[in-house]
Amino acid sequence: MEEAAAEPARGDAFRDNPSPSELSSEDAAAGGGAPSVPPEAPPATNAPPDEPPSAPKPPRPLYCGVRMPYFFREDSFELFREMDVREDDIFLSSGVKMGSETTWVTKILNGLKDYDDDGNLKASVDDSLPNRKFQTYPEALPPTREVERRDIAQGKSIVKHFGDFTLDELMDQPSPRLISTHLFGEQFLPKKLFDQPDEEGDSGLVSNGSHNIVKGKGRLIVAVRNLKDTLVSLHHFRGVPEDGWYGNEHGPGSFRRWIDLEDCHNSYGSAFHWVKASADAVDAIGPERALVVYYEALQSNFAAQLRRINDFLGMPRLSAAKERAITHACSAKTMRKTSSSIIRKGVVRDWTNYLDDERWDEVDKTFNTVLNGVKLAEPLRFYQLKEVPGMPPPF
């Protein structure tokens, strides 16, 4: 499977120095014009040509210490945080440009929900609902139609990149609800997904020995990819940024912007901090309600990972026909035809074609500083090694 970037066109949604403004899927896939390689940052000699550069944009808005994309709505985010979580809710939290992003895994989860044992779509499937044709981020939606009309009357722009939906329409999905987002960790995901101290004297609580807690509900799936390939994918998303890899008069460059732990201007902040906060969230929820899906594992054995996700969700054992139907629907060839996704290379270890040893050594040092000993992050190390010593460790 090659990596898919979620549509509709959002151009610069995730980078501080973005790509050509609002390219269509076809334009972006075609390169949008003659390729150019920034002279100050030549890739390795075997690297593919870069796409045309783009103009810089203003810094991202800062929220709770993290840079957020331009489509981020604080009102909807706060409602998302306080939402009532159901036992069978499925939350997909994926890192920006971490291979599958949310597109591939969203497609997998929809397949598990929507196909019957004969491999046919259930009659109840409604493609007009959120998260069907592409993911629908809660933090991007107006809370209600009433708020949307008010915002339009006040001259505010309404983002439609994730479909013509509101947050309450996302919440009105039939069970099991699927909610996809780049939001992450206990600070940004719904509070009731996690165990909470009892503040209202509710009944039916459990005790942890010191005080009563309200048990969390729902399931969390975290999708991750090795961070070196993540950087390369982000750099090329809808064309390379105008300040290139190493920076110039237009900005600090993709590398320095991405590796900055103190003030990463990319949307959703530092990838290293994203992984660490996600790992903490997985640990807090526990293995019965939290699952980590690695892009590299999906690439190497899709069938095994599909069954693993199915079992985690407590669904009936996959029939051969249903497995074949989902595998076909989630292939790169099918997704190119049926979804508005930009399919790039999506290979593992593409990072070896870019930058130099000095920069990759800096990534390794930063990885060790933030993620050394973090269980979720350890399997990523193998795919970040310059020379691979045999077979990868089990996920």
Side-chain angles (χ1 to χ4, degrees):
M1 172 67 187
E2 301 183 18
E3 92 190 56
E7 180 69 7
R10 6 174 217 183
D12 63 339
F14 303 116
R15 293 187 316 212
D16 184 36
N17 252 7
S19 56
S21 60
E22 302 305 312
L23 283 176
S24 69
S25 300
E26 294 77 11
D27 290 337
S36 63
V37 178
E40 82 287 359
T45 55
N46 59 337
D50 283 331
E51 296 178 29
S54 61
K57 290 288 193 297
R60 304 290 175 205
L62 192 65
Y63 189 81
C64 294
V66 175
R67 299 288 173 181
M68 291 295 176
Y70 72 92
F71 54 73
F72 176 82
R73 293 188 60 122
E74 184 175 344
D75 52 359
S76 293
F77 167 72
E78 293 295 342
L79 291 170
F80 172 66
R81 281 278 287 160
E82 300 294 337
M83 68 176 284
D84 286 327
V85 177
R86 302 173 187 169
E87 292 285 359
D88 61 354
D89 281 344
I90 304 167
F91 295 91
L92 170 60
S93 173
S94 63
V96 173
K97 306 313 299 170
M98 290 194 181
S100 58
E101 212 201 24
T102 44
T103 307
W104 196 11
V105 182
T106 296
K107 192 80 172 179
I108 292 169
L109 294 172
N110 277 327
L112 289 171
K113 293 198 307 171
D114 297 343
Y115 284 97
D116 61 25
D117 287 342
D118 295 325
N120 301 314
L121 282 174
K122 299 174 183 176
S124 59
V125 172
D126 184 355
D127 277 341
S128 68
L129 293 174
N131 279 321
R132 287 295 310 159
K133 294 185 177 180
F134 43 82
Q135 62 269 22
T136 307
Y137 297 160
E139 67 270 27
L141 306 177
T144 64
R145 291 296 177 189
E146 181 181 357
V147 173
E148 181 182 55
R149 288 190 292 269
R150 182 199 67 196
D151 286 353
I152 292 173
Q154 295 175 353
K156 298 179 181 179
S157 61
I158 303 296
V159 173
K160 297 291 186 181
H161 293 345
F162 307 99
D164 185 15
F165 303 111
T166 62
L167 184 64
D168 61 353
E169 290 166 354
L170 178 65
M171 297 303 169
D172 283 343
Q173 294 178 82
S175 294
R177 297 184 296 187
L178 171 59
I179 299 177
S180 302
T181 182
H182 287 310
L183 294 171
F184 60 99
E186 199 162 355
Q187 182 181 12
F188 294 108
L189 292 173
K191 294 178 181 178
K192 294 178 183 178
L193 179 62
F194 302 87
D195 292 352
Q196 297 288 310
D198 174 28
E199 297 177 350
E200 299 180 0
D202 292 340
S203 59
L205 306 177
V206 297
S207 174
N208 66 358
S210 57
H211 58 268
N212 290 332
I213 58 174
V214 181
K215 295 293 292 180
K217 297 179 181 180
R219 290 181 171 90
L220 172 65
I221 296 177
V222 173
V224 294
R225 183 191 199 183
N226 85 76
L227 297 189
K228 293 182 179 179
D229 278 336
T230 297
L231 168 58
V232 170
S233 180
L234 181 61
H235 176 79
H236 290 96
F237 184 49
R238 295 189 181 276
V240 300
E242 194 172 31
D243 55 355
W245 275 113
Y246 294 139
N248 52 37
E249 70 275 13
H250 299 293
S254 288
F255 178 78
R256 189 54 51 197
R257 182 166 46 250
W258 180 81
I259 206 163
D260 185 350
L261 294 178
E262 297 301 321
D263 188 20
C264 177
H265 277 241
N266 292 332
S267 294
Y268 301 100
S270 163
F272 300 92
H273 291 155
W274 191 99
V275 171
K276 178 61 169 65
S278 296
D280 291 343
V282 168
D283 290 343
I285 293 173
E288 291 186 358
R289 294 194 301 113
L291 181 74
V292 181
V293 176
Y294 295 91
Y295 176 75
E296 292 81 4
L298 282 170
Q299 285 274 25
S300 63
N301 194 336
F302 181 85
Q305 292 302 307
L306 179 62
R307 291 190 290 270
R308 177 171 170 258
I309 297 170
N310 182 80
D311 293 346
F312 167 72
L313 295 177
M315 295 184 171
R317 183 171 180 173
L318 274 176
S319 67
K322 183 174 180 178
E323 183 175 324
R324 285 194 300 269
I326 297 172
T327 301
H328 173 73
C330 295
S331 69
K333 183 177 180 180
T334 302
M335 289 183 67
R336 281 193 181 99
K337 293 179 179 179
T338 61
S339 67
S340 301
S341 299
I342 298 171
I343 306 295
R344 194 177 164 263
K345 295 195 307 182
V347 297
V348 177
R349 290 176 53 81
D350 185 42
W351 64 267
T352 59
N353 293 317
Y354 296 90
L355 299 181
D356 54 29
D357 289 348
E358 180 181 351
R359 268 71 181 188
W360 292 131
D361 287 346
E362 187 173 351
V363 174
D364 292 335
K365 292 176 181 177
T366 306
F367 187 95
N368 286 331
T369 297
V370 180
L371 298 171
N372 189 45
V374 175
K375 184 178 179 182
L376 182 153
E378 287 303 313
L380 304 177
R381 286 186 185 275
F382 179 86
Y383 299 97
Q384 296 174 176
L385 296 173
K386 184 177 181 181
E387 296 182 1
V388 176
M391 295 295 290
F395 286 94

CSV table of all heavy atoms in Angstrom, one decimal, residues 348-368:
chain,number,residue,atom,x,y,z
A,348,VAL,N,8.8,1.9,2.6
A,348,VAL,CA,9.5,2.0,3.9
A,348,VAL,C,11.0,2.3,3.6
A,348,VAL,O,11.6,1.8,2.7
A,348,VAL,CB,9.3,0.6,4.6
A,348,VAL,CG1,10.1,0.6,5.9
A,348,VAL,CG2,7.9,0.4,4.9
A,349,ARG,N,11.5,3.2,4.5
A,349,ARG,CA,12.9,3.6,4.4
A,349,ARG,C,13.3,4.4,3.2
A,349,ARG,O,14.4,4.5,2.7
A,349,ARG,CB,13.9,2.4,4.5
A,349,ARG,CG,13.9,1.7,5.8
A,349,ARG,CD,14.7,0.4,5.8
A,349,ARG,NE,16.1,0.6,5.3
A,349,ARG,CZ,17.1,1.2,6.0
A,349,ARG,NH1,16.9,1.5,7.3
A,349,ARG,NH2,18.3,1.3,5.5
A,350,ASP,N,12.3,5.2,2.7
A,350,ASP,CA,12.6,6.1,1.6
A,350,ASP,C,13.5,7.2,2.1
A,350,ASP,O,14.2,7.9,1.3
A,350,ASP,CB,11.2,6.7,1.1
A,350,ASP,CG,11.4,7.6,-0.1
A,350,ASP,OD1,12.2,7.3,-1.0
A,350,ASP,OD2,10.8,8.7,-0.1
A,351,TRP,N,13.6,7.4,3.4
A,351,TRP,CA,14.4,8.5,4.0
A,351,TRP,C,15.9,8.3,3.6
A,351,TRP,O,16.6,9.3,3.6
A,351,TRP,CB,14.3,8.5,5.5
A,351,TRP,CG,14.7,7.3,6.2
A,351,TRP,CD1,14.0,6.2,6.6
A,351,TRP,CD2,16.1,7.0,6.7
A,351,TRP,NE1,14.8,5.3,7.2
A,351,TRP,CE2,16.0,5.8,7.3
A,351,TRP,CE3,17.3,7.7,6.6
A,351,TRP,CZ2,17.2,5.2,7.9
A,351,TRP,CZ3,18.4,7.2,7.2
A,351,TRP,CH2,18.4,5.9,7.8
A,352,THR,N,16.3,7.1,3.3
A,352,THR,CA,17.7,6.9,2.9
A,352,THR,C,18.1,7.7,1.6
A,352,THR,O,19.3,7.8,1.4
A,352,THR,CB,18.1,5.4,2.8
A,352,THR,OG1,17.2,4.9,1.8
A,352,THR,CG2,17.8,4.7,4.1
A,353,ASN,N,17.1,8.1,0.9
A,353,ASN,CA,17.4,8.8,-0.4
A,353,ASN,C,17.6,10.3,-0.2
A,353,ASN,O,17.8,11.1,-1.1
A,353,ASN,CB,16.3,8.6,-1.4
A,353,ASN,CG,16.2,7.2,-1.8
A,353,ASN,OD1,17.2,6.6,-2.1
A,353,ASN,ND2,15.0,6.7,-1.9
A,354,TYR,N,17.5,10.8,1.1
A,354,TYR,CA,17.5,12.3,1.3
A,354,TYR,C,18.4,12.7,2.5
A,354,TYR,O,18.8,11.8,3.3
A,354,TYR,CB,16.1,12.7,1.7
A,354,TYR,CG,15.1,12.5,0.5
A,354,TYR,CD1,14.4,11.3,0.4
A,354,TYR,CD2,14.9,13.5,-0.4
A,354,TYR,CE1,13.5,11.1,-0.6
A,354,TYR,CE2,14.0,13.3,-1.5
A,354,TYR,CZ,13.3,12.1,-1.6
A,354,TYR,OH,12.5,11.9,-2.6
A,355,LEU,N,18.8,13.9,2.4
A,355,LEU,CA,19.6,14.5,3.5
A,355,LEU,C,21.0,13.8,3.6
A,355,LEU,O,21.4,13.1,2.7
A,355,LEU,CB,18.9,14.6,4.8
A,355,LEU,CG,17.6,15.4,4.8
A,355,LEU,CD1,16.9,15.4,6.2
A,355,LEU,CD2,17.8,16.8,4.4
A,356,ASP,N,21.7,14.1,4.7
A,356,ASP,CA,23.0,13.6,4.9
A,356,ASP,C,23.1,12.9,6.3
A,356,ASP,O,22.2,13.0,7.1
A,356,ASP,CB,24.1,14.6,4.7
A,356,ASP,CG,23.8,15.9,5.6
A,356,ASP,OD1,23.2,15.7,6.7
A,356,ASP,OD2,24.2,17.0,5.2
A,357,ASP,N,24.2,12.2,6.5
A,357,ASP,CA,24.4,11.5,7.8
A,357,ASP,C,24.3,12.4,9.0
A,357,ASP,O,23.8,12.0,10.1
A,357,ASP,CB,25.7,10.8,7.8
A,357,ASP,CG,25.7,9.6,6.8
A,357,ASP,OD1,24.6,9.2,6.4
A,357,ASP,OD2,26.8,9.0,6.6
A,358,GLU,N,24.8,13.7,8.9
A,358,GLU,CA,24.8,14.6,10.0
A,358,GLU,C,23.3,14.9,10.4
A,358,GLU,O,23.1,14.9,11.6
A,358,GLU,CB,25.5,15.9,9.6
A,358,GLU,CG,25.5,16.9,10.7
A,358,GLU,CD,26.2,18.2,10.3
A,358,GLU,OE1,26.8,18.2,9.2
A,358,GLU,OE2,26.1,19.2,11.1
A,359,ARG,N,22.5,15.1,9.5
A,359,ARG,CA,21.1,15.4,9.8
A,359,ARG,C,20.4,14.1,10.4
A,359,ARG,O,19.7,14.2,11.4
A,359,ARG,CB,20.3,15.9,8.6
A,359,ARG,CG,20.3,17.4,8.5
A,359,ARG,CD,21.6,17.9,8.1
A,359,ARG,NE,21.7,19.4,8.0
A,359,ARG,CZ,22.7,20.0,7.5
A,359,ARG,NH1,23.8,19.4,7.1
A,359,ARG,NH2,22.7,21.4,7.4
A,360,TRP,N,20.6,13.0,9.8
A,360,TRP,CA,20.0,11.8,10.3
A,360,TRP,C,20.5,11.4,11.7
A,360,TRP,O,19.8,10.9,12.5
A,360,TRP,CB,20.1,10.6,9.3
A,360,TRP,CG,19.4,10.8,8.1
A,360,TRP,CD1,19.8,10.7,6.8
A,360,TRP,CD2,18.0,11.2,7.9
A,360,TRP,NE1,18.8,10.9,5.9
A,360,TRP,CE2,17.7,11.3,6.5
A,360,TRP,CE3,17.0,11.5,8.8
A,360,TRP,CZ2,16.4,11.6,6.1
A,360,TRP,CZ3,15.7,11.8,8.4
A,360,TRP,CH2,15.4,11.9,7.0
A,361,ASP,N,21.8,11.7,11.9
A,361,ASP,CA,22.3,11.5,13.3
A,361,ASP,C,21.6,12.4,14.3
A,361,ASP,O,21.4,12.0,15.5
A,361,ASP,CB,23.8,11.8,13.3
A,361,ASP,CG,24.6,10.7,12.6
A,361,ASP,OD1,24.0,9.6,12.4
A,361,ASP,OD2,25.8,10.9,12.3
A,362,GLU,N,21.3,13.6,13.9
A,362,GLU,CA,20.6,14.5,14.8
A,362,GLU,C,19.2,14.0,15.1
A,362,GLU,O,18.7,14.1,16.2
A,362,GLU,CB,20.5,15.9,14.2
A,362,GLU,CG,19.9,17.0,15.1
A,362,GLU,CD,20.0,18.4,14.5
A,362,GLU,OE1,20.6,18.6,13.5
A,362,GLU,OE2,19.3,19.3,15.2
A,363,VAL,N,18.5,13.4,14.1
A,363,VAL,CA,17.2,12.8,14.3
A,363,VAL,C,17.4,11.6,15.3
A,363,VAL,O,16.5,11.5,16.3
A,363,VAL,CB,16.6,12.2,13.0
A,363,VAL,CG1,15.3,11.4,13.3
A,363,VAL,CG2,16.3,13.4,12.0
A,364,ASP,N,18.4,10.8,15.2
A,364,ASP,CA,18.6,9.7,16.1
A,364,ASP,C,18.8,10.3,17.6
A,364,ASP,O,18.3,9.7,18.5
A,364,ASP,CB,19.8,8.9,15.7
A,364,ASP,CG,19.6,8.1,14.5
A,364,ASP,OD1,18.4,7.8,14.1
A,364,ASP,OD2,20.6,7.8,13.8
A,365,LYS,N,19.6,11.3,17.7
A,365,LYS,CA,19.8,11.9,19.0
A,365,LYS,C,18.5,12.5,19.6
A,365,LYS,O,18.2,12.3,20.8
A,365,LYS,CB,20.9,13.0,18.9
A,365,LYS,CG,22.3,12.5,18.6
A,365,LYS,CD,23.3,13.6,18.5
A,365,LYS,CE,24.7,13.1,18.1
A,365,LYS,NZ,25.6,14.1,17.8
A,366,THR,N,17.7,13.1,18.8
A,366,THR,CA,16.5,13.7,19.3
A,366,THR,C,15.5,12.5,19.7
A,366,THR,O,14.8,12.6,20.7
A,366,THR,CB,15.8,14.6,18.2
A,366,THR,OG1,16.8,15.6,17.8
A,366,THR,CG2,14.6,15.3,18.7
A,367,PHE,N,15.5,11.5,18.9
A,367,PHE,CA,14.7,10.3,19.2
A,367,PHE,C,15.0,9.8,20.5
A,367,PHE,O,14.1,9.5,21.3
A,367,PHE,CB,14.8,9.3,18.1
A,367,PHE,CG,13.9,8.1,18.2
A,367,PHE,CD1,12.7,8.1,17.4
A,367,PHE,CD2,14.2,7.0,19.0
A,367,PHE,CE1,11.9,7.0,17.5
A,367,PHE,CE2,13.4,5.9,19.1
A,367,PHE,CZ,12.2,5.9,18.3
A,368,ASN,N,16.3,9.6,20.8
A,368,ASN,CA,16.7,9.1,22.1
A,368,ASN,C,16.4,10.0,23.2
A,368,ASN,O,16.1,9.6,24.3
A,368,ASN,CB,18.2,8.8,22.0
A,368,ASN,CG,18.6,7.6,21.2
A,368,ASN,OD1,17.8,6.7,21.1
A,368,ASN,ND2,19.8,7.6,20.6
